């Protein structure tokens, strides 16, 4: 199976998590797009949808969904999203698509967080995928220098503005040996809006597609 087929298989497997009356948070990216395209088939199970990005909101609208804000729904029963990397503790790197801040808000607000990936995303140590960091534009070089002190190599994501009007640095070369501690520490750098380490709020379940099918993994 190539990546696209695996992504689709993982997305379809996660549909079973959507029970009648669900307030659903929807992530961002090519894996989640497969999920969105299947949502019309279970439309009447969904009480409300909240989107993690403008791109997701537009795709949901095209399928005829009315998209609510988090302030309107107050809470989210289930959040489904992809990831750039995942480890056995269900810590993730996210933000390859640049939607990390809203994704982290929805993951944190959700009672359950389900992650859908293909097996290329499963890693022993997080950090091979460059860590996305959303920054306030005026702080960009200051924040970049702080990551250099931590042995990272920050690259400014060119021609990219987040849905919140900010910029993204991609930090190469980090070995994320202690995701919880590093998420905390990097979050403290003034000018950082969000770091793409999702360790405080890890996934609860992961649907991971490989050549043999989809494995459902549950965090202990
Ligand atoms: C977007 C994300 C995505 O979940 C991540 O980039 C995975 O994307 P894809 O499903 O296209 O591989 O964090 O900000």
């Amino acid at each position: 199976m190539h990546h696209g087929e695996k992504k689709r298989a993982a997305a379809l497997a996660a549909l079973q998590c959507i029970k009648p009356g669900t307030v659903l948070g929807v992530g961002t990216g090519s894996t989640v797009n497969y999920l969105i395209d299947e949502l019309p088939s279970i439309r009447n199970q969904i009480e409300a949808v909240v989107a993690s990005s403008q791109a997701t909101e537009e795709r949901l609208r095209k399928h005829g969904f009315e998209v609510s804000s988090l302030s309107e729904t107050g809470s989210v029963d289930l959040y489904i999203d992809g990831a750039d990397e995942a480890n056995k503790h269900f810590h993730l790197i996210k933000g390859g698509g640049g939607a990390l801040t809203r994704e982290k808000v929805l993951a944190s607000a959700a009672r359950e967080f389900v992650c859908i990936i293909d097996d290329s995303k499963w890693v022993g140590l997080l950090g091979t995928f460059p860590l996305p960091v959303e920054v306030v534009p005026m702080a960009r070089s200051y924040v970049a220098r702080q990551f250099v002190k931590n042995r990272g190599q920050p690259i400014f994501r060119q021609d990219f503005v987040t849905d919140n009007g900010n910029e993204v640095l991609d930090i190469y070369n980090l070995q994320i040996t202690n995701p919880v501690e590093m998420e905390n520490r990097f979050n403290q750098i003034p000018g950082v809006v969000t770091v793409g380490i999702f360790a405080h709020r890890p996934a609860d379940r992961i649907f991971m597609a490989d050549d043999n099918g989809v494995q459902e993994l549950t965090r202990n």
Side-chain angles (χ1 to χ4, degrees):
M1 274 204 274
H2 62 68
H3 283 333
E5 288 172 314
K6 289 182 189 173
K7 287 179 177 194
R8 182 161 188 275
L12 296 193
L15 278 177
Q16 62 182 265
C17 302
I18 303 170
K19 308 287 186 222
T22 298
V23 175
L24 179 68
V26 185
T28 299
S30 57
T31 313
V32 164
N33 283 345
Y34 287 112
L35 178 89
I36 296 173
D37 293 348
E38 286 300 321
L39 287 181
S41 67
I42 53 159
R43 189 186 300 277
N44 52 14
Q45 313 239 38
I46 300 171
E47 175 76 26
V49 277
V50 183
S52 63
S53 63
Q54 283 168 10
T56 287
E57 184 165 340
E58 271 166 36
R59 202 174 182 100
L60 285 163
R61 288 228 165 94
K62 273 193 192 140
H63 285 297
F65 285 95
E66 198 178 298
V67 179
S68 304
S69 70
L70 180 59
S71 309
E72 283 164 345
T73 64
S75 61
V76 171
D77 296 314
L78 171 68
Y79 180 57
I80 306 180
D81 199 356
D84 299 302
E85 285 185 345
N87 71 14
K88 66 176 182 191
H89 303 294
F90 293 26
H91 298 152
L92 312 171
I93 287 188
K94 290 186 46 54
L100 61 164
T101 299
R102 295 183 186 198
E103 291 174 344
K104 198 175 271 197
V105 171
L106 290 186
S108 302
R111 211 161 32 75
E112 187 179 22
F113 175 16
V114 168
C115 183
I116 48 180
I117 54 171
D118 66 81
D119 56 349
S120 69
K121 311 270 184 78
W122 189 255
V123 298
L125 183 67
L126 298 175
T128 303
F129 189 93
L131 178 69
V133 179
E134 181 167 352
V135 296
V136 171
M138 65 74 74
R140 184 178 86 217
S141 5
Y142 170 74
V143 172
R145 287 197 297 278
Q146 306 316 302
F147 277 102
V148 170
K149 286 185 193 161
N150 284 277
R151 301 209 179 111
Q153 286 179 358
I155 303 287
F156 171 49
R157 202 180 287 185
Q158 298 282 343
D159 303 319
F160 184 82
V161 178
T162 70
D163 288 348
N164 314 307
N166 294 314
E167 295 173 349
V168 171
L169 292 169
D170 292 301
I171 319 293
Y172 287 75
N173 243 355
L174 287 177
Q175 295 199 343
I176 304 177
T177 46
N178 187 338
V180 173
E181 183 273 328
M182 290 171 95
E183 181 179 5
N184 270 342
R185 185 152 48 90
F186 296 153
N187 254 323
Q188 299 300 319
I189 301 170
V192 166
V193 178
T194 306
V195 294
I197 304 173
F198 283 50
H200 270 286
R201 201 319 175 207
D204 299 310
R205 270 199 279 177
I206 296 181
F207 288 89
M208 178 169 65
D210 60 24
D211 285 324
N212 301 316
V214 181
Q215 291 182 55
E216 180 181 346
L217 310 165
T218 304
R219 184 161 56 91
N220 295 327

